[in-house]
């Protein structure tokens, strides 16, 4: 069986593990610092086991788990991805994350190339699926003789009222700190051949 190591057992992990284990040739190990999260996933899924793992303290255990895996999927907070990536490069195991490409991850590019390891970032909803659908749209236009003159992408959805009962009216499915940092960050976009930035601000209703 192919072994996949999923690091993190939060809200995003459940659908991922469920999707992976539809293929009976894939066995998933979930590593989580919180035992109850890992247990909950194991009870719901087939071909799944969990281990209690804090990647910042159990590096030897992390090394062992990576060595046994065909692929590592890190759904940990983005600041922990470089630690995991360095070990994946060391043991020549491919890695996927759903987070934006940070400068720290970008610095590992040459080492990954030299090791023959593929590390793919931004494979989530936004960024990720939105990028893939955008390229599919561009390819369709070009293949039919068209020219793309402008493209604007919106990714996300409106949560049900009962699931947005906080001051931000937001359904938190990932790290709240990361949500706030992204919200407060500047937007960068290409307009008329020039890169522009815009600072976004909270609007109080």
């Amino acid at each position: 069986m192919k072994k996949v190591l999923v690091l993190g057992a939060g809200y995003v992990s459940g659908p991922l593990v469920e999707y992976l284990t539809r293929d009976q040739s894939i066995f998933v190990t979930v590593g989580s610092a919180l035992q109850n999260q890992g247990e909950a996933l194991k009870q719901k899924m087939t071909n799944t086991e969990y281990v209690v793992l804090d990647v910042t303290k159990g590096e030897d255990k992390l090394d062992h788990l990576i060595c046994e895996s065909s692929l590592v999927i890190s759904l940990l907070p983005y600041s922990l991805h470089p630690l995991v990536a360095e070990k994946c490069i060391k043991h020549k195991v491919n890695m996927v994350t759903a987070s934006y490409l940070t400068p720290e991850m970008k610095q590992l590019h040459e080492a990954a190339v030299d090791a023959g390891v593929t590390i793919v970032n931004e494979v989530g909803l936004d960024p990720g699926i939105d990028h893939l659908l955008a390229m599919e749209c561009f390819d369709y236009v070009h293949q039919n003789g068209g020219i793309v003159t402008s493209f604007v992408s919106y990714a996300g959805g409106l949560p049900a009222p009962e699931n947005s009962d906080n001051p931000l009216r937001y359904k938190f499915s990932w790290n709240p700190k990361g949500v706030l940092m992204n919200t407060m960050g500047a937007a960068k976009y290409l307009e008329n051949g020039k890169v522009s930035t815009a600072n976004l601000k909270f609007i109080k209703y």
Side-chain angles (χ1 to χ4, degrees):
M1 298 182 76
K2 296 178 182 177
K3 290 189 175 183
V4 176
L5 174 62
V6 174
L7 297 174
Y11 289 124
V12 179
S13 302
L16 169 68
V17 174
E18 188 278 328
Y19 178 79
L20 290 174
T21 53
R22 291 179 193 176
D23 185 336
Q24 292 299 304
S25 69
I26 295 177
F27 188 87
V28 177
T29 299
V30 179
S32 173
L34 302 175
Q35 182 173 349
N36 60 334
Q37 287 184 335
E39 286 180 339
L41 277 179
K42 177 176 169 52
Q43 290 172 1
K44 294 177 183 177
M45 312 296 176
T46 59
N47 289 354
T48 305
E49 68 175 2
Y50 78 91
V51 294
V52 178
L53 173 68
D54 182 339
V55 299
T56 64
K57 298 177 181 177
E59 292 196 33
D60 289 342
K61 190 173 184 179
L62 178 61
D63 274 299
H64 177 71
L65 290 168
I66 290 174
C67 282
E68 290 188 328
S69 304
S70 304
L71 174 68
V72 175
I73 302 176
S74 179
L75 298 177
L76 297 168
Y78 73 93
S79 59
L80 296 176
H81 293 330
L83 184 156
V84 177
E86 287 177 357
K87 293 189 175 296
C88 286
I89 292 169
K90 173 184 175 183
H91 299 295
K92 299 184 184 300
V93 176
N94 297 331
M95 175 182 170
V96 175
T97 84
S99 302
Y100 286 101
L101 177 62
T102 61
E104 291 78 13
M105 287 293 284
K106 199 169 185 178
Q107 288 177 359
L108 297 173
H109 176 75
E110 293 300 330
V113 170
D114 291 343
V117 172
T118 298
I119 299 179
V120 183
N121 298 276
E122 305 187 3
V123 188
L125 166 60
D126 177 11
I129 295 174
D130 57 339
H131 291 176
L132 298 175
L133 292 177
M135 292 308 301
E136 182 182 55
C137 176
F138 297 163
D139 289 344
Y140 179 81
V141 171
H142 293 151
Q143 288 167 7
N144 288 276
I147 298 173
V148 178
T149 59
S150 178
F151 179 81
V152 179
S153 172
Y154 298 96
L158 297 174
E162 64 270 18
N163 291 318
S164 60
D165 55 350
N166 58 68
L168 297 179
R169 306 293 289 172
Y170 186 91
K171 170 61 178 175
F172 285 92
S173 60
W174 52 297
N175 187 336
K177 180 181 178 181
V179 173
L180 293 173
M181 288 177 64
N182 281 351
T183 302
M184 299 301 291
K188 182 183 291 186
Y189 57 96
L190 187 66
E191 185 175 25
N192 297 324
K194 296 181 179 180
V195 176
S196 300
T197 58
N199 289 313
L200 306 178
K201 296 181 179 179
F202 283 111
I203 300 175
K204 186 175 182 180
Y205 293 96

